[in-house]
Amino acid sequence: KVLPSSTLVPDNDPTLLFTNAGMVPFKDIFTGVKPRSYPQVTTAQKCVRAGGKHNDLDQVGYTARHHTFFEMLGNFSFGAYFKEEAIRFAWTFLTQELRLPKERLCVTIYHEDTEAAALWQKIAGVTPIPITTSDNFWAMGDTGPCGPCSEIFYDHGATIPGGPPGSPEADGDRFVEIWNLVFMQFNQQTEDLRVPLPKPSVDTGMGLERIAAVMQGVTDNYDTDVFRVLRKGLAAFTTVPDTAQNRFSYKVVADHLRAAAFLCAEGVMPGPDGRSYVLRRIIRRAIRHGHGLGIRELFFYKLVPVLVQEMGEDYPELRLAKTVIQETLKQEEQRFRTTLERGLFLLENEVKALPSGGTLSGAVAFKLYDTYGFPLDLTEALLRDRRLQLDKEAFFSALKEQQARTRWAGSGDKRENPALKALATRLPATHFCGYDKEEATASILGLVHGTEEVAQAKAGEEIYFCLDTTPFYATSGGQQADRGTLQTAQASACIQDVQKTAEGVFWHIGQVTSGTFSVGDSVVARWDKKRREQTAAHHSATHLLQAALRQVIGEQVTQKGSSIDVERLRFDFNAPGPLSSEKLEEVEACVNQWIREDLPVVVSEQEKSAALAAGATALFSEKYQDRVRVVQMGLVSKELCGGTHVPSTGHLGLFCLLSEGGIGSGVRRIEALAGEAAYQQVQRMRKSLKEGARLLNTTEENLPMVLAEVLSERERFRRESAQQQALEALSTDILEETVGEAVLLCQKVAAVVPQDIRRHIDTLKKGSSPRLAIVLSEEGDQTRVYVGVSERLKEKCAATDLLNTLLSLLREGGGGGRPDFAQGGGRGLLAPQEVLNLVKKFYLH
């Protein structure tokens, strides 16, 4: 069976950051948790190895074969064939189908696997190289399926550095592993007990990028056709040629573009932790290398069309998500360029204080790495230019501590209840009949209480019910499950939630309210009609909302998630920024217009390819069967959807928006109401308007004007109060030091009107002793600097000279004045004690 690639974000596997191997989607089959649907499977699986246990991020660019994103060609046998067939298939494919010269191939085995050694000799006439390390023994974990490996290498020739596998030079690029055959023949039950599996299996993996390099006659994956196209796209943005000297940065950008785009297409957004943090590192490393190629404009997001043109036919999700990928990368690049400039400013300041041949502290290098995204090699390169050293030991010590703090501990997803998981593998899929039936008679196939399978469920117990058939809609596609009841003549239960497993088993979760249920009982299952109708209204309204957004904003709008229940609908979508009130009003008007037109809602089943070709929209991160359910509303909306809906749009009655806001980089969220919930909201708003008008002794029509006057008066009072507090603060927290006859004064205050600060400095300057007064006024990340110098001191320490010195510590600084008073400002913050120390060191020593 040829299966499509699974997603990069693993399903129901909280142990992994990303799908990092072709076998990941089949882990539960190999462990026996899930039954096999097919005895033999082949896939071309999208993989990312960046972060977590398997991390090639920092290797990219240094070798010819490492990638963050790659495609793994896999063959899997779940007990159908084993070593002999796998070896024959692999050898036949390489030497006959691909016609690779046998003398260029070499094979390794695990040193204890004499069976594989004999088979290689018998089938291929090859004497394999025995490997004694765990590199040739694969294990899923400390326990579970495991077995020896047999790896096939291609020899690129003596002109490439490196030695054969097993030799001290094996890490070179001459001998490249192109195929790995994993023979899963054991079950590691404990640390010391390993027993044979009843049905030995095979997991093979061949990297598409590596075999493409071999077939195209190149020794570097980055010289294959796909990467040549991406490198050519990058070359258009720089005057630095794509030569061997600069190839490192070209490799990094081309590789990281693929990883970043595919992760964004699956809804991963740059952020501070977990998967989001890894994506941010990938993007920023690419941008940094673009900066190293002399590119000063935004460029990374502009390469997305090149990638989509090259890979979009095989991976339609890239085409569907093209706009959101570009917007995400653009916003992250804009943020990082500001961060990069700050990092360079920090490094320059640190370097200025170092003598020739000095050493930069590891703590500073790590701050550049962790906070500003500077790879260690960039910091080292900048230091080499200045003949400076780096305390690497301290850097790696700080890095180790950070890795310990942020080590991937799982996605936070809940692991499946073991009893539910085990029972679901034995039970048939539940038949769902709830699209057109409010109730159904069903048989209880299984009961679970807590984490134990039970034969009976008694009053008061929280129970998972499995039925052979059900009218209850299970939570999926963003729509929340039905609620309702299960009843027999002697017992009843209240169902609060319904969850569906990957095997298609529905678990009805609820409490037994009376009597006793037993496995095998016949029950009447009935959902709450009012709740179902309101949820269906919200789901249909969600489809109309998406159609309206695409009409008002543009076809680039794609769904990023949704939540639909009886209370409200929530819809997440890509957008570069907030929607104006005019746009929101237009969206709301569109939906209500379609409601008034009472468009028919037609549901049909179609082949997925035909439905998509006919213009149906789909959530690109969602998995769909070959036959799909298509929900069409007039000519305005056509979507693949398994949810429940109203018969026609007129049943919605009314639609009203509640809120719109950002929830992440390039992602907006709308909350809205439809049907009865929308009507109740309008009633509440009318009531609030009447009460507000009564309290302010005005009419509803004049309420906005009266409120504007009240708010204006309140804002005036707030400003006056804040200004008074700031003025009072001018007389407190003044740092004072005496140097000889001179009195030095420095003070940090919140934003204050400049005229008040000038008067304050005039007061501070008064006195019999020479006096120098500095006031730092902060607002956000900016600082205004005011310097006043008394008449007796201004020749030795002019206010303008001192101001320029202080502004050099700030970014984008500027200002001026007279010898006795000067002012200016810039981006950054200063500490009063630091300022006084600088004055003493350079002016009053």
Side-chain angles (χ1 to χ4, degrees):
K1 178 69 175 180
V2 180
L3 295 179
S5 173
S6 183
T7 55
L8 286 171
V9 177
D11 290 330
N12 193 37
D13 191 342
T15 66
L16 291 176
L17 270 172
F18 304 110
T19 298
N20 55 29
M23 60 76 57
V24 168
F26 308 108
K27 279 175 65 174
D28 285 347
I29 297 177
F30 284 128
T31 57
V33 173
K34 290 183 179 179
R36 66 179 192 181
S37 300
Y38 314 98
Q40 298 163 222
V41 167
T42 185
T43 63
Q45 175 62 48
K46 300 179 295 185
C47 298
V48 165
R49 288 187 180 175
K53 180 180 178 182
H54 300 284
N55 183 7
D56 290 342
L57 177 59
D58 294 322
Q59 294 294 321
V60 171
Y62 292 100
T63 74
R65 64 190 188 277
H66 283 96
H67 303 280
T68 52
F69 171 89
F70 59 96
E71 298 172 83
M72 183 61 78
L73 310 179
N75 299 295
F76 306 93
S77 164
F78 309 120
Y81 62 82
F82 199 45
K83 291 183 185 179
E84 182 167 0
E85 294 87 346
I87 290 172
R88 180 176 291 111
F89 292 156
W91 191 253
T92 301
F93 182 75
L94 291 176
T95 61
Q96 296 183 27
E97 297 292 334
L98 300 187
R99 299 182 182 180
L100 299 183
K102 297 178 182 179
E103 62 272 15
R104 285 290 188 101
L105 301 175
C106 67
V107 175
T108 66
I109 58 165
Y110 187 56
H111 68 108
E112 296 179 359
D113 193 359
T114 55
E115 179 186 7
L119 287 169
W120 276 111
Q121 189 67 51
K122 168 188 170 184
I123 294 168
V126 170
T127 301
I129 302 169
I131 303 294
T132 59
T133 66
S134 60
D135 287 348
N136 273 60
F137 194 91
W138 181 90
M140 188 176 292
D142 295 334
T143 60
C146 60
C149 303
S150 190
E151 298 175 332
I152 305 172
F153 289 76
Y154 182 83
D155 180 4
H156 280 300
T159 58
I160 305 299
S167 71
E169 298 81 23
D171 285 340
D173 286 324
R174 174 177 173 177
F175 290 86
V176 175
E177 176 200 336
I178 56 174
W179 205 336
N180 186 15
L181 313 178
V182 178
F183 307 124
M184 274 186 269
Q185 63 184 105
F186 302 111
N187 183 22
Q188 191 79 40
Q189 293 186 340
T190 66
E191 182 179 353
D192 302 317
L193 181 60
R194 182 185 296 164
V195 299
L197 285 170
K199 287 188 177 181
S201 300
V202 173
D203 158 22
T204 79
M206 178 164 59
L208 177 60
E209 292 78 8
R210 295 186 183 189
I211 196 65
V214 171
M215 295 303 297
Q216 294 176 27
V218 296
T219 59
D220 191 325
N221 293 2
Y222 293 91
D223 287 330
T224 56
D225 49 5
V226 172
F227 284 101
R228 283 200 306 270
V229 170
L230 298 180
R231 283 166 34 207
K232 183 179 179 181
L234 174 61
F237 292 94
T238 175
T239 58
V240 179
D242 184 5
T243 58
Q245 183 179 0
N246 309 309
R247 184 60 52 80
F248 183 92
S249 290
Y250 273 87
K251 284 183 175 184
V252 171
V253 174
D255 172 89
H256 291 8
L257 173 67
R258 300 206 312 168
F262 274 94
L263 287 174
C264 288
E266 292 197 10
V268 181
M269 292 287 127
D273 49 37
R275 297 182 179 110
S276 298
Y277 177 69
V278 174
L279 175 57
R280 172 162 284 171
R281 278 201 65 200
I282 291 171
I283 295 171
R284 293 189 170 189
R285 189 168 186 254
I287 295 167
R288 202 283 297 166
H289 278 276
H291 191 274
L293 292 172
I295 304 174
R296 295 298 180 263
E297 62 176 302
L298 300 181
F299 77 97
F300 197 46
Y301 80 98
K302 296 177 183 177
L303 295 174
V304 172
V306 181
L307 176 66
V308 173
Q309 179 67 31
E310 193 66 20
M311 301 186 71
E313 183 176 350
D314 294 303
Y315 293 103
E317 61 266 34
L318 287 180
R319 288 179 174 172
L320 286 168
K322 176 183 173 183
T323 302
V324 73
I325 295 169
Q326 286 189 284
E327 290 170 354
T328 301
L329 298 187
K330 182 179 180 180
Q331 290 181 6
E332 186 65 18
E333 187 168 5
Q334 287 171 329
R335 277 193 291 265
F336 180 53
R337 286 203 172 273
T338 301
T339 303
L340 188 65
E341 291 171 4
R342 291 176 182 172
L344 287 169
F345 178 82
L346 170 66
L347 182 60
E348 289 294 334
N349 277 344
E350 292 290 339
V351 165
K352 282 179 184 177
L354 293 176
S356 178
T359 300
L360 182 72
S361 77
V364 172
F366 179 73
K367 183 177 182 180
L368 288 167
Y369 170 84
D370 191 50
T371 304
Y372 297 100
F374 275 46
L376 183 61
D377 58 349
L378 171 62
T379 302
E380 289 181 307
L382 293 170
L383 293 177
R384 275 197 302 271
D385 292 342
R386 294 163 173 79
R387 295 192 173 93
L388 298 170
Q389 308 297 315
L390 172 65
D391 186 351
K392 280 192 177 182
E393 184 177 344
F395 171 85
F396 284 111
S397 176
L399 177 62
K400 188 175 181 180
E401 290 178 10
Q402 188 260 9
Q403 289 172 337
R405 289 193 304 270
T406 62
R407 184 174 290 118
W408 176 251
S411 64
D413 299 339
K414 292 182 179 179
R415 291 182 177 273
E416 287 189 51
N417 184 319
L420 300 180
K421 200 168 186 179
L423 194 53
T425 61
R426 305 200 315 264
L427 298 176
T430 307
H431 171 64
F432 175 64
C433 62
Y435 284 128
D436 50 14
K437 288 185 178 180
E438 183 180 347
E439 69 174 51
T441 301
S443 295
I444 297 178
L445 300 183
L447 298 169
V448 172
H449 180 220
T451 58
E452 300 291 332
E453 184 179 348
V454 295
Q456 290 188 324
K458 301 176 182 178
E461 292 179 339
E462 297 285 342
I463 295 292
Y464 292 83
F465 295 83
C466 178
L467 311 179
D468 64 343
T469 187
T470 183
F472 284 86
Y473 183 85
T475 298
S476 62
Q479 180 176 332
Q480 299 302 304
D482 288 324
R483 295 183 182 179
T485 60
L486 299 181
Q487 289 186 320
T488 67
Q490 294 81 28
S492 64
C494 181
I495 301 301
Q496 296 297 315
D497 192 14
V498 184
Q499 297 292 329
K500 181 171 64 174
T501 72
E503 298 82 8
V505 172
F506 285 48
W507 287 108
H508 305 71
I509 307 164
Q511 185 177 50
V512 180
T513 53
S514 64
T516 299
F517 290 94
S518 300
V519 174
D521 281 355
S522 177
V523 300
V524 175
R526 181 185 295 107
W527 40 255
D528 183 316
K529 185 176 181 180
K530 185 175 181 180
R531 181 181 180 86
R532 162 69 80 87
E533 289 175 346
Q534 182 58 54
T535 304
H538 278 149
H539 202 153
S540 296
T542 302
H543 285 219
L544 294 180
L545 172 60
Q546 174 161 297
L549 286 167
R550 290 169 68 88
Q551 179 169 302
V552 172
I553 301 175
E555 291 298 313
Q556 73 272 17
V557 169
T558 55
Q559 181 179 340
K560 304 297 294 180
S562 64
S563 179
I564 300 151
D565 58 29
V566 67
E567 295 174 348
R568 67 182 62 196
L569 69 89
R570 189 190 74 208
F571 185 77
D572 301 339
F573 61 101
N574 59 295
L579 271 65
S580 66
S581 57
E582 292 79 12
K583 292 289 186 185
L584 289 172
E585 288 174 7
E586 192 176 347
V587 167
E588 188 176 60
C590 270
V591 175
N592 280 300
Q593 175 63 33
W594 295 329
I595 290 173
R596 290 192 297 273
E597 291 175 1
D598 196 22
L599 305 173
V601 177
V602 179
V603 179
S604 61
E605 282 198 3
Q606 302 176 25
E607 291 295 323
K608 180 176 73 173
S609 57
L612 293 175
T617 60
L619 187 61
F620 47 78
S621 60
E622 187 79 15
K623 290 184 177 180
Y624 297 98
Q625 302 297 321
D626 292 336
R627 285 195 64 79
V628 294
R629 191 166 178 266
V630 180
V631 177
Q632 182 167 353
M633 300 179 182
L635 298 177
V636 302
S637 172
K638 181 189 288 186
E639 294 190 36
L640 307 190
C641 180
T644 64
H645 290 276
V646 297
S648 66
T649 59
H651 283 69
L652 300 182
L654 180 65
F655 173 85
C656 64
L657 293 174
L658 291 179
S659 64
E660 187 273 344
I663 60 168
S665 178
V667 181
R668 310 293 297 177
R669 171 172 293 172
I670 281 180
E671 292 191 347
L673 301 173
E676 176 68 18
Y679 172 74
Q680 293 297 334
Q681 173 69 6
V682 170
Q683 290 295 90
R684 287 191 294 270
M685 292 169 64
R686 289 178 62 188
K687 185 176 180 180
S688 297
L689 280 173
K690 288 182 179 179
E691 181 64 12
R694 186 189 66 81
L695 290 172
L696 292 174
N697 195 29
T698 187
T699 63
E700 293 176 35
E701 290 76 11
N702 291 333
L703 186 58
M705 181 180 64
V706 174
L707 280 174
E709 293 174 355
V710 171
L711 291 174
S712 176
E713 183 65 19
R714 189 176 71 173
E715 177 61 20
R716 184 186 65 78
F717 177 78
R718 186 197 65 78
R719 287 198 305 269
E720 291 177 354
S721 177
Q723 184 65 23
Q724 182 60 36
Q725 291 176 5
L727 289 172
E728 292 173 359
L730 288 176
S731 61
T732 61
D733 297 326
I734 301 175
L735 197 62
E736 181 176 333
E737 291 191 23
T738 302
V739 179
E741 288 186 281
V743 177
L744 311 183
L745 303 163
C746 189
Q747 180 182 22
K748 179 185 289 189
V749 298
V752 182
V753 175
Q755 293 90 330
D756 293 329
I757 292 183
R758 291 193 200 102
R759 286 194 291 269
H760 177 57
I761 285 182
D762 287 341
T763 302
L764 293 177
K765 284 164 49 179
K766 293 177 181 178
S768 58
S769 302
R771 299 172 78 85
L772 184 154
I774 300 171
V775 174
L776 310 172
S777 176
E778 291 182 359
E779 185 168 9
D781 65 344
Q782 298 191 18
T783 299
R784 294 287 302 173
V785 181
Y786 302 85
V787 181
V789 180
S790 64
E791 196 68 25
R792 293 172 55 189
L793 200 58
K794 67 181 181 182
E795 290 185 7
K796 186 176 184 180
C797 182
T800 48
D801 293 340
L802 181 53
L803 175 69
N804 289 332
T805 300
L806 295 178
L807 292 181
S808 69
L809 301 177
L810 301 173
R811 298 183 301 281
E812 305 168 16
R818 308 182 306 273
D820 63 332
F821 180 82
Q823 63 178 327
R827 302 179 70 85
L829 305 177
L830 299 172
Q833 188 60 60
E834 176 188 9
V835 169
L836 289 184
N837 291 342
L838 188 145
V839 173
K840 290 187 291 183
K841 181 177 180 180
F842 291 101
Y843 293 93
L844 297 177
H845 57 277

